[in-house]
Amino acid sequence: MSGVYDPDAFRAAYDKVMAKWPAAREALTVPTPFGTTYVNACGLLDGPALVLLPGGGGATSASWYAQVADLARTRRVLAVDLIGAPGRSTPAADRHPRTVADLTSWLDAVLDGLGVGEADLGGHSYGAWIALHHALRAPARTRRLFLLDPTQCFAGFKAAYLRHALPMLLRPAPRRVRAFLEWETGGANLDPDCLRLQETAAGFPAGRPVTGPRPAPEALRGLNVPVLLLLAGNSRTHDTYRVAARAEALLPRVETHVLPDVSHHALPHAATSELGRSLRDFLGS
């Protein structure tokens, strides 16, 4: 497989993972000032809204397939493809998110377009970083917040993680994506369809992702929203227990669980019983 991005291969891989979703899934498109956002929706039409944000890199809304059927029993699940990232959202030609404020405005526009005033909000990795920033800037729109092994929220990346990611970032290619994921997950048996989707996303014509400093401690202390922090016990991305300690020291309403025997990039499609149970208990409380 070459490093040249193949849109047909990507769409085919995306559809194959989406076939794991409930059959009643609905594809929605939402216009925003930053382009058209693609949303995969399912669950109770009149249920409380649950907005899901994927991680960065090659992750898309499809990656929630292992959790969505369970969540859809009590929620209207709205899984978003990030604007300017791999997926089926279409960025505007003349306007791209460049700051955290832009990302918050984009997500506000998505919620407005979906007719959602207040939602439960969750994200994995980079998506958790976006979700946390949105909750800090728009707390009235967030009922509950869950963060699935969030990056750059409470601690930085491990140096070894950045070293292993660098070849994939500098010269994206399917074989580099596979090698990186095999290293981070410790050779775990990843879902082959999900792995194929990650591989075909290599070289996707994505915009430069918005990055920035971790949220300020005083802002985190003032977040009066229930937060569920689910951490990967085998994560090579950051120090799991440092993340837990810092979050518990700063967030006034946080519940923390470390998921054993799972790595950062095996989430959220790892069908662990503790992950599903923790989400159900938190969202149903």
Side-chain angles (χ1 to χ4, degrees), residues 178-226:
R178 178 180 287 268
F180 172 72
L181 293 176
E182 288 178 345
W183 169 78
E184 199 282 326
T185 60
N189 291 322
L190 299 176
D191 181 279
D193 297 329
C194 202
L195 179 57
R196 170 67 175 161
L197 178 55
Q198 295 267 68
E199 289 178 329
T200 59
F204 187 95
R208 183 176 181 178
V210 176
T211 58
R214 296 193 289 275
E218 58 270 21
L220 294 171
R221 292 189 185 100
L223 183 62
N224 191 30
V225 169

Side-chain angles (χ1 to χ4, degrees), residues 159-183:
Y161 180 84
L162 296 176
R163 284 198 304 272
H164 279 83
L166 191 59
M168 176 185 67
L169 297 174
L170 291 177
R171 296 182 63 189
R175 61 181 177 81
R176 291 174 185 243
V177 171
R178 178 180 287 268
F180 172 72
L181 293 176
E182 288 178 345
W183 169 78

Side-chain angles (χ1 to χ4, degrees), residues 46-64:
D46 57 352
L50 171 59
V51 176
L52 302 176
L53 303 179
T60 70
S61 60
S63 64
W64 295 99

